[in-house]
Amino acid sequence: MKPLFAKQTVRKGVSAHSAIGLVCCALLYLICVTGTAIVLFEEIQRFEQPGAPEMDRIAPQAVDAGIANVVAAEEGATPTTHLYVHMPTEALPRTTITTDTQAFHIDAQGAIAVPEENAWAEFLLALHYRLNLPAIWGMSLVGLFGAMIVALAVSGIVAHPRIFRGAFRLRARRNDEVSTLDWHNRLAVWTLPFALAIALTGAMIGLFYISGYSLAAADYDGDSEAAIAPVFGTEPDEDEAAAPLPKVTPALDYMARNYPEVRVSYAILHDPGTRGQHVQIVGVHGQRLIFGEYYAFGADGTFNGTAGLADGTLGQQIAASIYNLHFGNFGGLPVKLAYIVFGIALTIVVSTGTFIWLNKQDRKGSPRPSIRASWWGITIGMPLGIAATLAARMTMGNDAPFVAIFWIVTLAAAAAALMASRRSTIVKAKPAVPEFAP
């Protein structure tokens, strides 16, 4: 029977399949590298803009003054639909007011101090969240990779039933593939609970767009806000008629009187300057994994209840806990340092997994020198790319083209490693010229 595809076609198909696999491994590696880095997201912002005013707390009246100053600074522009006030927290003791188009740090009296300049930190976060792709595509892809890590972890345990028995057997001094295999398996075992927690929460965060839109299309006539309302609460109806800006002071005073144990992290003005405006306070609960509870207030300061993230249904509390569990935003600096150590270990597991596959291909008599060289270039190039963007931030400022710099450095490193490998192959294959005695 004649084969369906010619041998040359099959060979090209195998090469294409391997190349696609390399791209998937590279993206998974990138997600692990950037995820480890942005555990220190707040600390990176402070490092990036050390001159911004800092404070432990800010008076409610100063917050209102800051809001008025920022709105006045945007006079004549398209009115913002949301205004976010980041209140001072332990990790980021700054007050920052963000509109739809810009952000400012304010001082303790509410005066505008400097524009917020944390483009490098935002670049790292976007690279991890959505791989520099449009949000719906990038976050969905990252979510799928989170599910892939879960599958890899479970299948790895099934494929190696003795992996726990040898959890502390590490032949690190052997300079061969046995050492690579041991590092991969040992780190995979030691980080298994962390890897599963990170992968599951990452998949849930990343696939939020797909699940949210699907639920909205199926049961809420395409209304995505109505679809997530049972979890995060509903918003009042919009009324675009002009109205004076609401005061945040009554809401903050109410929180101080009635919820003194809750630390306010955000004050949010929805549709400010309209009759439909309202105020939302995000309060952090100590000793809880939830990112916070939503406290709703009318424009006149009337308390309208909570969303239930702290004491609502189990599903609400789980949904509110995913973000902090994924990024290590609980327990302070010790937890962050632990996340960094485990993140580095998980990055090594991903990197060595590809080398183990390449070693297995060598033993089968099907070496992949080009893929091996490219993988070396990628594993080195991505950290170099991040370092290059940091250097650009320090020398070129907040407007440096971080995305272009990162991908140029990464691809250049992979290309350089590939060319070096091919030159080495050509030299080895070149027949030696015999020497003749005179």
Side-chain angles (χ1 to χ4, degrees):
M1 182 177 179
K2 187 177 180 179
L4 183 61
F5 298 109
K7 289 184 178 180
Q8 186 67 17
T9 303
V10 172
R11 191 175 297 112
K12 290 181 179 179
V14 171
S15 298
H17 178 76
S18 300
I20 292 171
L22 179 63
V23 171
C24 291
C25 291
L27 294 178
L28 187 58
Y29 176 78
L30 175 59
I31 291 169
C32 292
V33 170
T34 53
T36 302
I38 63 170
V39 169
L40 297 175
F41 182 65
E42 291 88 357
E43 289 77 7
I44 291 173
Q45 292 182 69
R46 298 179 72 182
F47 166 79
E48 192 173 357
Q49 195 175 15
E54 296 194 343
M55 61 211 75
D56 292 331
R57 294 185 179 276
I58 186 170
Q61 294 78 10
V63 175
D64 277 326
I67 292 172
N69 289 331
V70 170
V71 171
E74 295 197 336
E75 187 175 356
T78 302
T80 185
T81 58
H82 292 84
L83 188 146
Y84 302 87
V85 182
H86 174 273
M87 305 290 283
T89 62
E90 182 178 356
L92 191 60
R94 299 176 173 181
T95 304
T96 308
I97 299 180
T98 304
T99 67
D100 290 345
T101 56
Q102 57 187 334
F104 297 97
H105 296 299
I106 64 173
D107 63 20
Q109 289 71 46
I112 294 177
V114 290
E116 183 185 48
E117 294 185 344
N118 61 346
W120 187 63
E122 294 293 342
F123 156 75
L124 289 178
L125 185 63
L127 188 58
H128 177 72
Y129 251 116
R130 50 186 179 86
L131 304 173
N132 296 142
L133 297 172
I136 187 170
W137 300 107
M139 291 189 67
S140 299
L141 184 59
V142 170
L144 291 173
F145 276 111
M148 183 186 297
I149 293 178
V150 176
L152 288 171
V154 174
S155 62
I157 294 171
V158 173
H160 302 85
R162 298 182 181 179
I163 195 170
F164 292 102
R165 186 183 305 175
F168 296 97
R169 185 185 181 190
L170 181 60
R171 292 162 288 187
R173 294 185 178 180
R174 293 187 54 162
N175 190 23
D176 56 16
E177 59 184 75
V178 173
S179 174
T180 302
L181 185 62
D182 273 7
W183 275 114
H184 178 85
N185 288 340
R186 299 300 84 80
L187 291 177
V189 170
W190 299 338
T191 62
L192 181 61
F194 172 82
L196 289 175
I198 294 300
L200 283 170
T201 53
M204 295 173 72
I205 293 171
L207 296 176
F208 172 78
Y209 275 94
I210 292 179
S211 58
Y213 279 117
S214 299
L215 181 63
D219 297 323
Y220 294 91
D221 296 325
D223 188 345
S224 57
E225 291 186 2
I228 63 174
V231 177
F232 298 105
T234 59
E235 292 193 16
D237 295 334
E238 294 182 1
D239 186 343
E240 296 182 358
L245 282 175
K247 297 292 184 181
V248 177
T249 296
L252 295 177
D253 288 342
Y254 182 92
M255 293 296 298
R257 289 194 310 269
N258 295 277
Y259 298 95
E261 74 285 357
V262 174
R263 180 71 180 263
V264 175
S265 60
Y266 276 94
I268 307 172
L269 273 63
H270 295 261
D271 302 312
T274 71
R275 292 183 62 182
Q277 63 193 353
H278 58 102
V279 177
Q280 196 173 50
I281 300 295
V282 181
V284 178
H285 289 233
Q287 309 301 317
R288 295 290 303 275
L289 272 178
I290 61 170
F291 68 83
E293 173 65 279
Y294 289 138
Y295 298 84
F297 294 85
D300 59 354
T302 303
F303 179 58
N304 294 326
T306 65
L309 301 181
D311 56 3
T313 65
L314 180 61
Q316 285 181 289
Q317 296 184 50
I318 291 175
S321 302
I322 290 172
Y323 185 88
N324 281 350
L325 182 59
H326 184 77
F327 289 104
N329 292 336
F330 62 94
L333 187 59
V335 172
K336 289 190 175 186
L337 293 177
Y339 265 60
I340 290 173
V341 171
F342 286 129
I344 292 173
L346 184 57
T347 302
I348 294 173
V349 170
V350 172
S351 177
T352 53
T354 303
F355 283 119
I356 290 171
W357 177 80
L358 289 167
N359 293 336
K360 185 178 293 186
Q361 296 304 305
D362 290 346
R363 292 196 301 272
K364 289 181 178 180
S366 302
R368 302 283 195 276
S370 296
I371 292 180
R372 183 182 292 274
S374 299
W375 185 243
W376 269 116
I378 288 170
T379 55
I380 297 172
M382 286 184 175
L384 282 178
I386 292 176
T389 58
L390 175 58
R393 174 65 179 87
M394 297 296 101
T395 57
M396 301 171 63
N398 200 57
D399 296 325
F402 300 114
V403 174
I405 291 171
F406 172 79
W407 287 109
I408 288 173
V409 171
T410 298
L411 295 177
L418 182 59
M419 288 188 292
S421 173
R422 289 181 175 177
R423 281 199 303 268
S424 176
T425 303
I426 292 173
V427 170
K428 290 179 181 179
K430 185 176 181 180
V433 178
E435 297 184 0
F436 296 95

